[in-house]
Amino acid sequence: MTGRSRTSRRTVLTALLAGAVSVPLLGAAPASSVPATALELPRPTGHRPVGRRTLHLVDRRRSDPWVPAARGRELMVSVFYPARSSDGRPAAYMTESEAQRLLELKGLAGVVPAATVAGTLTHARADAPPAPGRLPLVLLSPGFSVPRTTLTALAVELAARGHLVAAVDHAYESVGTEFPGGRLPPCVACDRVDVDEATVVRGRAADLSFVIDELTDRRSTGALARLIDPGRIGVAGHSIGGAAALATMAADRRVRAGVNLDGGFFVPDAGHGIGGRPFMMIGAEAVHGPGNTANDWAETYDRLHGWKRWLTVSGAGHFSFTDIPWLAEQLGLPDPQVPLSGERGWCITRDYVGAFFDLHLRGISQPLLHGPTSSHPEVGFHRP
């Protein structure tokens, strides 16, 4: 690698990390202005109650790319699924220790109580008995440095519609993910200035394939494995997690469909090798519109030969496709640089991602995906 290319890669990763951790909450208001309020994620539109189980998975066949001395590649997985009933205790959003780490990173320790964030109502029930049936599986991978919990509203929405959803945290790539025994490993990858983005993407693709292995193996997950239809598997991710979604499809033929939420692709020849399988890209118009030649969406889109969509959202920011703006606005801390409201960003994410997986994994017709609509004027369709 030349000195110039090494500098370029470092610059891109620095920008990626900055985008992943500079959220609407950062420095937005003094402590006295934050109201004491109970936080709540949006209620799902699906009619099914949702349960959640948390799994600790370890791939002993692989060493961790960031801490080779670790005993295998560790993952924390939140599995959301249609439940028999809405009875039982609410599933926690995150632990207080995880919330504290996230708030410290944002410069909000002492501004927003960790207990407030950790206690966010998720509309899922912890360890609720699953409803019978064979379900599509959707995997979710978060942005670099942020935990899987930032995609909880999407996970609950998809589960309420009839999918089994696995949100995955990748060890040493999150600032605040609690492992068994109360361990909170540091984000080692965040501190590495020599990280190649492609290494992150390919590592996550291997992680997601391993999660599929485990979730579909009855010896590993028992009742959960019996719920999964292995012929209907999809993957989605935010930011670099979106790049991992496409890389997983390229590496694993079991994955039938994928979505990238506002992420670059980073891997050379991204999109090559997925054949006619469907893929959707949806992101902020200012960054991922066809007029911005600095990103890799156009060249990646040209390599997709099946059903595909390139959608952009006017007024959106990088985190408009996650829980963060929704929660920030409840705290009275919206991002003044992002015109799109947290509520509207959530509705767009819910409607388009839900429609995509309902179409390609459940076979339900989705006119919303045919082209622009008056009900979603912010969403632009490019190069259909």
Side-chain angles (χ1 to χ4, degrees):
M1 182 185 298
T2 67
R4 180 177 179 179
S5 62
R6 184 180 297 112
T7 301
S8 175
R9 288 187 182 278
R10 184 177 301 179
T11 300
V12 170
L13 185 67
T14 300
L16 174 69
L17 179 57
V21 300
S22 296
V23 300
L25 299 178
L26 183 56
S32 60
S33 70
V34 176
T37 183
L39 300 180
E40 179 179 357
L41 292 179
R43 291 184 177 275
T45 61
H47 67 279
R48 307 180 189 213
V50 176
R52 191 202 69 193
R53 295 183 183 177
T54 302
L55 305 177
H56 173 226
L57 303 180
V58 184
D59 187 350
R60 303 288 183 189
R61 299 166 300 179
R62 299 166 56 216
S63 61
D64 191 280
W66 316 116
V67 182
R71 299 175 58 188
R73 176 65 164 162
E74 287 190 274
L75 306 168
M76 291 301 298
V77 182
S78 294
V79 181
F80 299 83
Y81 50 87
R84 290 182 182 273
S85 74
S86 57
D87 297 336
R89 61 187 174 88
Y93 186 55
M94 60 174 64
T95 69
E96 286 197 29
S97 296
E98 290 172 326
Q100 184 64 29
R101 284 279 186 93
L102 197 58
L103 290 167
E104 288 173 357
L105 180 69
K106 309 306 186 261
L108 288 171
V111 177
V112 178
T116 297
V117 176
T120 299
L121 180 62
T122 62
H123 303 292
R125 299 290 169 172
D127 301 315
R134 296 277 280 177
L135 307 171
L137 168 64
V138 178
L139 296 99
L140 300 178
S141 182
F144 189 69
S145 84
V146 294
R148 69 192 188 280
T149 50
T150 56
L151 298 175
T152 298
L154 180 58
V156 172
E157 172 69 25
L158 293 173
R161 289 176 178 232
H163 300 81
L164 186 144
V165 184
V168 182
D169 258 337
H170 311 266
Y172 305 108
E173 294 179 22
S174 165
V175 296
T177 297
E178 188 168 312
F179 284 78
R183 292 180 295 127
L184 273 84
C187 185
V188 175
C190 298
D191 298 328
R192 291 275 296 273
V193 295
D194 60 340
V195 172
D196 183 341
E197 299 88 351
T199 300
V200 180
V201 172
R202 293 190 181 105
R204 288 196 176 196
D207 292 343
L208 296 176
S209 286
F210 173 68
V211 172
I212 295 172
D213 293 342
E214 293 292 290
L215 290 180
T216 56
D217 185 345
R218 295 189 180 186
R219 295 169 299 178
S220 299
T221 54
L224 290 178
R226 290 191 289 273
L227 295 175
I228 297 170
D229 180 351
R232 294 186 292 162
I233 298 176
V235 60
H238 172 245
S239 195
I240 207 166
L246 187 58
T248 302
M249 291 182 68
D252 194 328
R253 299 292 300 180
R254 294 174 296 179
V255 183
R256 283 180 47 178
V259 178
N260 180 341
L261 298 169
D262 206 57
F265 287 99
F266 304 110
V267 178
D269 296 326
H272 178 74
I274 74 165
R277 286 173 288 168
F279 195 81
M280 182 170 74
M281 299 144 48
I282 180 168
E285 194 277 334
V287 177
H288 294 296
N292 187 344
T293 58
N295 69 67
D296 54 5
W297 276 31
E299 60 196 68
T300 301
Y301 192 75
D302 288 342
R303 297 190 194 103
L304 304 176
H305 302 298
W307 187 105
K308 59 183 179 179
R309 293 292 185 272
W310 175 356
L311 310 180
T312 56
V313 183
S314 61
H318 186 53
F319 277 86
S320 293
F321 309 93
T322 73
D323 300 348
I324 289 174
W326 176 280
L327 296 176
E329 289 181 4
Q330 289 184 55
L331 290 165
L333 302 173
D335 186 349
Q337 297 182 348
V338 177
L340 192 73
S341 72
E343 179 180 6
R344 191 61 187 154
W346 159 245
C347 289
I348 291 169
T349 303
R350 173 198 68 198
D351 292 348
Y352 283 89
V353 177
F356 176 86
F357 285 120
D358 279 352
L359 172 63
H360 295 294
L361 298 184
R362 300 178 66 211
I364 302 172
S365 178
Q366 300 293 329
L368 180 68
L369 299 175
H370 293 172
T373 67
S374 58
S375 62
H376 295 76
E378 308 92 339
V379 180
F381 283 65
H382 307 287
R383 294 167 56 177

